[in-house]
Amino acid sequence: MVAMEEEMIVELVKKSISSPQLDGLKVPKAVQIANVSKWFGSFQVLRNVSVDVAVGERVVVCGPSGSGKSTLIRCINQLEKHQQGRIVVNGAELTPGMKGLAAVRRDVGMVFQQFNLFPHLTVLENCTLALVRARKLKRGEAEQVAMQNLERVRIVEQAGKYPRQLSGGQQQRVAIARALCMKPRIMLFDEPTSALDPEMVKEVLDVMTGLANEGMTMICVTHEMGFAREVADRVVFMDGGEIIEQATPSRFFSHPEHDRTKKFLSQILH
Amino acid sequence: MNFDFAFAMRIVPLVLEGIGNTILVAILSFIGATVLGFCWEIVRRSHWMLRPIAQFIIDAIRSTPALVQIYFLFFVLPYYGIVLPAMFVGIFGLSFYYSGYISEVFKAGIDAVPAGQGEAAESLGLSWADTVILVIAPQMLRNIAAPLGAYSIGILKSTPILAVIAVPEMLGSALDVASETYRYAEPMIVAGLLFLLLALIAAACVAALERRLGLVSQSH
Amino acid sequence: MSFLEIMLGIFEGFGITAEVTFFGLLYAIPFALLAGVLQHFARGLGRWTVTAVIEFWRSSSVIVLLYAFYYSLPAFGVYLSAITVGSMVLGLNGGAYASQSVRAALQALDRGQCEAGLALGLSRFSVLRLVELPQAIRAMIPTFINEAIQLIKGTALVSLITLTDMTFRAKEIAQLSYNPVEIYTGLLLSYLILCYPVTILGRYLSTSYSNTGVRINEL
């Protein structure tokens, strides 16, 4: 029975790939991006991009640098503001100057390439800060939640340390725990392993794989194609601000359709 | 050699009479300069139209000597009927002069906090107020502690300028001794050495204070 | 006296202002380079001595130093002109500050630069002269520009040791006619005209040398 449900979901997801603007599908949408364009000054960085992500889906976004992939996911929590089109996150539409933006952001977790841990706070305090101030938890409760999540990323013994005392891989895992503490419904990853030394990439990818296996909705910008193959439900390839191609990993890597995709893959996978 | 060591030793306490005012003026001017400097930086960042105006004022303050600014205040204010004690004028003048420099310290301190910090805080859903108070400000304070400490000593070393408007601080005391005894060498050297000593002690205190408060910069 | 006459009167002192600034720089720049380099390389007693000299000139109050040197040197049998005393005190004080920037610039250089130079067989001094200093100078330029500005402003203090610079002239005029607003505004304006362009130049240079690029996030 589980296999049948899985097949149904895969079919529905496939349908949503080919017609992203269909409303009323049975699978709830975590993120809906419709005809989004964005300019930095006169330079157009996103060109009429449309893509949806279903709840529980794991999407990897890849592409050459300058393709707009980081900008796209930063639009999802409005760190960048789109100028045209619609973005709906967890049912709420993102508009400029909207009042509930902080509330939307609490449900969307983000992990940055540069970790962005707060250097003046300990690991534990990094995790509890938003819990206490944004979710209004009491200190004791917040610390419990924090410790649970630090346990989840296997770094609980460093709770009292400061970020500068940790390695890059450890810091990034703390950053993931910090985002998880807020119990987000969607996790965004912006090249989470690009700033890490090679030997630390695996520990972070393992944590992300574990999260994926627990059913977290994930949108991940990364160059780690092994991770994409193993974990992603769908790979989205962007270039020059547009989505060129998207497919399941098996199809994407073995039968890419467009020339630009092929070129990118040949450069990445040598 | 015409230098009377015994006389020099004798006048040390006379010169030291002014030290209380020296320190008082220095502290008050430092507070004034920091508050004003902070205000300048807020104004500079608040509205795109105010930016060039505030920047021009800051640059102009830094382009004219403190002595001349003090003269200006001391001689021009009475012309418009504003008569203030010399010490007020002196403190206000030094505050105003150094506020230009300290606003640059705030600017650098705020700019040195990586943009990613604000982004991470926003992503977690923290309000703008919480982001500034709990994430940006603590890091900014660590950045500005050292330059502010340096300027505090600089202000201390600038207080003798006020002797020209008859503020009773250490240099003024030394000049008094000199004009009464017609011997200039000894009081001036005594004043010089005392100021040097004062500056070195103050620098050591500031360094110790920074260490105590753990305000060492977090950069690694 | 009209405002124009006041300004012209003040600018009669420009010659002294310029002279003291010029000679001050002649003291400041060599002292800064020498002291900075020595402090960077010296160890033990030598380093302690250089540091002491630098700290003496850096931690003293400029106006007090001026008075002290001007009035006390004759008591020790040393007779220097007021211009020499003025430019020396201002120059060495400024040079002491700048020496710290020289030292920091040298320290910030990649060690590999020095190692590469030595590996090529250059003498240590040649490495310093041909490899390290040229690179470090770029980082020091904003500081030197700042020193120039500080010197120009510092010359106002020499009016107190009887040099007839712009400030002295202004005070002279003030004795003749009671017009504080025009006179002191004119004096402020005079220094502004001299220093403001240099301040702008300094700020432009320091932003182009430091790492403050625009933060456009990686696309």
Side-chain angles (χ1 to χ4, degrees):
Chain A
M1 191 174 73
V2 171
M4 247 170 60
E5 279 176 25
E6 266 193 317
E7 261 206 57
M8 246 169 47
I9 292 179
V10 166
E11 278 305 311
L12 287 167
V13 166
K14 277 199 195 143
K15 281 211 199 121
S16 73
I17 289 173
S18 48
S19 51
Q21 266 126 309
L22 261 180
D23 278 330
L25 275 184
K26 293 222 179 71
V27 178
K29 295 292 168 57
V31 176
Q32 292 165 279
I33 297 175
N35 304 108
V36 162
S37 290
K38 179 173 172 60
W39 287 260
F40 279 129
S42 56
F43 174 67
Q44 188 169 10
V45 60
L46 292 175
R47 296 173 190 278
N48 206 15
V49 173
S50 298
V51 64
D52 286 356
V53 177
V55 168
E57 198 182 354
R58 286 90 49 142
V59 173
V60 164
V61 182
C62 63
S65 57
S67 55
K69 51 192 198 296
S70 277
T71 310
L72 183 64
I73 72 162
R74 284 163 65 90
C75 283
I76 297 179
N77 69 352
Q78 287 287 283
L79 283 180
E80 305 286 355
K81 312 223 187 295
H82 58 289
Q83 278 124 359
Q84 261 181 36
R86 283 179 78 210
I87 301 184
V88 181
V89 173
N90 289 330
E93 176 162 357
L94 300 181
T95 53
M98 65 185 286
K99 285 211 170 281
L101 184 57
V104 172
R105 283 173 169 164
R106 278 180 230 133
D107 286 331
V108 177
M110 180 136 190
V111 176
F112 299 85
Q113 183 178 353
Q114 301 296 333
F115 331 139
N116 290 336
L117 290 180
F118 305 133
H120 57 297
L121 301 176
T122 62
V123 161
L124 188 66
E125 287 165 351
N126 261 274
C127 295
T128 56
L129 178 69
L131 282 175
V132 169
R133 302 295 310 182
R135 286 224 189 272
K136 316 279 191 221
L137 259 55
K138 294 225 182 322
R139 165 121 306 185
E141 285 179 71
E143 287 187 359
Q144 265 194 341
V145 173
M147 294 299 267
Q148 278 170 9
N149 282 293
L150 289 174
E151 180 97 49
R152 215 166 151 189
V153 302
R154 295 190 293 275
I155 204 163
V156 68
E157 69 282 359
Q158 314 282 359
K161 294 234 178 100
Y162 284 92
R164 64 178 176 281
Q165 297 172 286
L166 303 177
S167 74
Q170 289 172 320
Q171 289 187 51
Q172 192 63 300
R173 285 189 279 144
V174 172
I176 296 177
R178 178 177 67 174
L180 288 176
C181 281
M182 299 295 281
K183 296 215 193 345
R185 291 192 268 166
I186 304 174
M187 280 289 278
L188 304 174
F189 292 87
D190 187 1
E191 303 216 33
T193 56
S194 295
L196 294 176
D197 291 334
E199 64 270 14
M200 296 192 260
V201 168
K202 181 175 186 309
E203 70 193 63
V204 173
L205 289 181
D206 284 346
V207 167
M208 289 164 66
T209 308
L211 265 185
N213 291 337
E214 288 170 22
M216 172 68 75
T217 311
M218 287 168 56
I219 307 175
C220 189
V221 173
T222 183
H223 294 299
E224 295 289 329
M225 292 303 139
F227 173 77
R229 254 195 258 257
E230 210 187 292
V231 164
D233 296 313
R234 183 173 22 140
V235 179
V236 172
F237 173 66
M238 282 184 74
D239 191 5
E242 302 174 289
I243 294 183
I244 306 294
E245 198 172 324
Q246 42 184 326
T248 59
S250 52
R251 269 201 52 197
F252 183 81
F253 290 111
S254 54
H255 295 107
E257 283 177 16
H258 291 90
D259 283 338
R260 285 202 264 180
T261 321
K262 293 180 189 162
K263 183 164 164 229
F264 175 72
L265 283 174
S266 70
Q267 286 168 341
I268 278 257
L269 306 166
H270 38 253
Chain B
M1 193 171 81
N2 197 7
F3 188 79
D4 189 345
F5 278 106
F7 175 60
M9 299 301 291
R10 272 207 311 275
I11 58 173
V12 167
L14 290 176
V15 175
L16 276 177
E17 273 178 22
I19 195 172
N21 274 340
T22 294
I23 296 179
L24 181 67
V25 169
I27 293 178
L28 290 179
S29 303
F30 177 69
I31 295 175
T34 307
V35 169
L36 254 178
F38 184 67
C39 291
W40 284 128
E41 190 48 23
I42 299 280
V43 166
R44 226 182 59 95
R45 282 178 195 261
S46 63
H47 194 268
W48 64 272
M49 274 209 293
L50 291 175
R51 248 197 83 227
I53 300 175
Q55 188 65 53
F56 173 73
I57 296 181
I58 292 173
D59 287 337
I61 295 176
R62 288 170 40 178
S63 300
T64 52
L67 180 68
V68 175
Q69 290 183 25
I70 303 256
Y71 275 144
F72 181 86
L73 288 170
F74 187 69
F75 290 114
V76 169
L77 288 180
Y79 185 81
Y80 291 105
I82 308 174
V83 181
L84 294 167
M87 201 149 85
F88 272 54
V89 176
I91 293 175
F92 182 66
L94 283 179
S95 299
F96 193 70
Y97 178 73
Y98 277 99
S99 71
Y101 290 92
I102 292 187
S103 78
E104 294 288 319
V105 171
F106 277 111
K107 172 179 188 298
I110 296 176
D111 285 346
V113 180
Q117 292 292 304
E119 288 178 357
E122 276 184 30
S123 301
L124 288 167
L126 285 171
S127 68
W128 182 85
D130 277 342
T131 303
V132 169
I133 296 176
L134 297 171
V135 174
I136 312 270
Q139 298 186 52
M140 180 202 72
L141 286 175
R142 275 164 179 72
N143 289 335
I144 64 174
L148 274 189
Y151 275 115
S152 69
I153 309 291
I155 291 178
L156 179 66
K157 292 189 292 176
S158 294
T159 57
I161 288 178
L162 302 184
V164 309
I165 56 170
V167 171
E169 44 74 63
M170 272 211 302
L171 180 62
S173 307
L175 286 169
D176 285 342
V177 171
S179 61
E180 278 165 27
T181 63
Y182 296 100
R183 300 187 66 87
Y184 275 80
E186 291 83 358
M188 291 302 110
I189 290 202
V190 166
L193 291 174
L194 284 177
F195 263 106
L196 180 58
L197 202 58
L198 185 60
L200 291 174
I201 295 176
C205 289
V206 166
L209 191 66
E210 282 173 7
R211 271 198 306 272
R212 275 297 294 293
L213 294 180
L215 286 176
V216 187
S217 178
Q218 297 272 341
S219 54
H220 43 277
Chain C
M1 283 181 94
S2 74
F3 187 67
L4 184 62
E5 287 174 330
I6 291 175
M7 288 298 281
L8 287 175
I10 290 176
F11 259 92
E12 277 175 29
F14 176 72
I16 299 284
T17 299
E19 211 181 320
V20 175
T21 304
F22 176 71
F23 285 113
L25 280 173
L26 280 187
Y27 282 102
I29 296 182
F31 180 61
L33 287 172
L34 190 64
V37 168
L38 282 178
Q39 211 185 16
H40 178 65
F41 288 113
R43 301 273 173 266
L45 184 64
R47 181 176 206 168
W48 195 90
T49 317
V50 177
T51 306
V53 172
I54 293 177
E55 285 307 307
F56 171 76
W57 286 106
R58 202 168 74 99
S59 305
S60 298
S61 171
V62 184
I63 182 174
V64 177
L65 271 180
L66 270 177
Y67 274 119
F69 274 89
Y70 181 72
Y71 285 111
S72 65
L73 283 180
F76 291 96
V78 181
Y79 294 95
L80 296 172
S81 70
I83 295 229
T84 310
V85 172
S87 32
M88 187 185 76
V89 169
L90 289 173
L92 292 178
N93 174 258
Y97 277 104
S99 75
Q100 299 308 291
S101 170
V102 170
R103 182 167 65 101
L106 283 172
Q107 269 179 340
L109 277 184
D110 195 348
R111 291 206 67 216
Q113 293 294 304
C114 169
E115 288 172 1
L118 290 173
L120 287 168
L122 291 170
S123 74
R124 190 68 187 84
F125 181 67
S126 293
V127 171
L128 175 67
R129 194 167 58 91
L130 301 168
V131 174
E132 291 180 299
L133 273 183
Q135 294 185 53
I137 296 270
R138 287 186 75 220
M140 298 186 228
I141 290 190
T143 307
F144 282 129
I145 301 246
N146 219 40
E147 271 321 304
I149 299 174
Q150 294 297 111
L151 264 176
I152 300 176
K153 294 192 298 178
T155 61
L157 293 174
V158 304
S159 65
L160 301 168
I161 55 171
T162 74
L163 284 173
T164 57
D165 74 318
M166 298 198 305
T167 308
F168 189 90
R169 291 272 172 228
K171 302 214 71 192
E172 252 186 354
I173 298 173
Q175 311 264 29
L176 296 174
S177 59
Y178 180 66
N179 196 356
V181 181
E182 285 193 1
I183 293 175
Y184 290 105
T185 308
L187 187 58
L188 282 175
L189 210 58
S190 309
Y191 282 103
L192 200 63
I193 294 172
L194 290 179
C195 294
Y196 187 74
V198 190
T199 303
I200 299 292
L201 175 69
R203 201 149 44 82
Y204 166 73
L205 280 179
S206 76
T207 49
S208 67
Y209 277 123
S210 70
N211 216 2
T212 56
V214 177
R215 275 183 192 275
I216 294 193
N217 295 287
E218 203 218 324
L219 299 174

